[in-house]
Amino acid sequence: MADKNTHTDTPDHSRRRFLKYTGTAIGGVVVGGVIGSAMSGGFKKNSSTSSPSPSASPQATVTADYNQAPMFFNQSQLQITEAAAERIFPKDDSGPGATDLGVAFFIDHQLASPWGVNARTYRMGPFVKGEATQGDYLSIERHELITMGLNSLEETAKAKYTKGFVDLKPEEQDAILTSMEKGEISVVNGITGKTFFNQFRVLVMEGVYSDPLYGGNKNMGGWKMRKYPGNQMSYANMIDKDEFVTMEPRSLHDHFVH
């Protein structure tokens, strides 16, 4: 981030000051930290190596993709998340599944964000079961719901099949997820698997179709399956066309890396 005492008006420094001081929110995630660095410089950054001298042999450029790095889950939780997400949105002839789209990393990044700790959510009791049209009002935070739900998946798999969830056959994984969806498996303190499953499924679908800036929809594969254009700068040159126009999708990230 640019130093707060810097007063240059170049677009890059101006943008950085804006992101640093306004706390702008995009898609529910507050800009700053990882997201802020993504928009001001991109998640993919070359390693800082000195330029080789003319006599030195060229060095290979090393690129790190920080979208593919866990920020909240341990490796076991990440693997269970990936396996469960793939069963909800599996790879088929239409395109990639949740694994190839990096959905597990999207969920991980969401749980590491203020959203994961229910920031800006009313948190005072009493915590009572609402009507079907009201949804759940939980005494635990979202990151607790997801991690406890993942733990229930693992415990159920070992109790029923004597294997971890990631080692089960697809149909066995489906059977456990179906029991979760029906509320037949408890998560904690009367919170059923249905509550976990409903929240988890929403996260999976968001990871498939959200902007790649947030960790999922890798290579905009989810958008490409739907022929969704993403975040284009303008549609002025095609708004009056009668036929459907297929466009190469663009991410928010594309507008900030140049």
Side-chain angles (χ1 to χ4, degrees):
M1 285 294 183
D3 184 82
K4 64 181 180 181
N5 294 318
T6 301
H7 296 288
T8 178
D9 289 326
T10 62
D12 183 63
H13 288 98
S14 176
R15 179 173 65 247
R16 292 187 182 194
R17 290 202 306 274
F18 173 77
L19 293 175
K20 183 174 182 179
Y21 297 126
T22 60
T24 304
I26 296 181
V29 180
V30 176
V31 173
V34 175
I35 298 301
S37 65
M39 297 184 68
S40 59
F43 276 113
K44 294 185 178 181
K45 295 185 178 180
N46 295 334
S47 61
S48 55
T49 55
S50 58
S51 300
S53 62
S55 59
S57 55
Q59 296 181 354
T61 300
V62 179
T63 301
D65 186 352
Y66 299 112
N67 263 349
Q68 302 298 299
M71 300 168 60
F72 179 82
F73 287 140
N74 59 38
Q75 283 300 312
S76 176
Q77 291 169 334
L78 188 69
Q79 290 170 1
I80 297 171
T81 298
E82 189 172 77
E86 182 68 17
R87 297 314 305 153
I88 292 174
F89 196 91
K91 179 179 181 179
D92 59 19
D93 294 339
S94 300
T99 299
D100 292 336
L101 291 171
V103 168
F105 290 103
F106 168 84
I107 296 175
D108 170 89
H109 295 178
Q110 291 298 296
L111 297 183
S113 76
W115 182 88
V117 293
N118 295 60
R120 301 185 181 182
T121 301
Y122 183 80
R123 297 288 294 149
M124 299 295 290
F127 298 94
V128 298
K129 183 175 179 59
E131 300 296 332
T133 55
Q134 294 177 312
D136 295 309
Y137 182 52
L138 304 179
S139 59
I140 61 175
E141 296 174 350
R142 295 185 183 105
H143 72 91
E144 295 174 311
L145 172 65
I146 297 302
T147 53
M148 289 176 179
L150 295 175
N151 186 58
S152 293
L153 288 178
E154 184 73 355
E155 290 180 347
T156 302
K158 290 180 178 179
K160 190 172 182 178
Y161 300 104
T162 66
K163 295 180 182 178
F165 186 82
V166 297
D167 297 320
L168 299 181
K169 298 176 182 178
E171 55 269 24
E172 293 171 339
Q173 293 174 338
D174 288 347
I176 294 178
L177 288 170
T178 299
S179 293
M180 277 282 188
E181 184 180 16
K182 292 179 178 179
E184 297 171 350
I185 299 174
S186 176
V187 174
V188 65
N189 295 337
I191 298 175
T192 67
K194 183 176 182 179
T195 299
F196 160 76
F197 182 87
N198 289 343
Q199 180 67 82
F200 188 81
R201 179 172 55 188
V202 168
L203 284 169
V204 170
M205 300 311 294
E206 288 177 348
V208 170
Y209 295 118
S210 66
D211 193 287
L213 181 71
Y214 300 109
N217 192 13
K218 187 176 181 180
N219 298 321
M220 294 176 278
W223 288 351
K224 290 174 182 177
M225 283 189 286
R226 297 285 184 174
K227 293 183 171 58
Y228 178 67
N231 295 285
Q232 301 291 330
M233 292 296 290
S234 172
Y235 300 93
N237 62 339
M238 61 191 69
I239 195 70
D240 59 348
K241 295 183 181 295
D242 294 329
E243 70 276 12
F244 182 84
V245 178
T246 301
M247 307 171 65
E248 186 67 21
R250 287 177 62 84
S251 165
L252 284 170
H253 174 271
D254 298 330
H255 301 305
F256 288 92
V257 295
H258 301 299

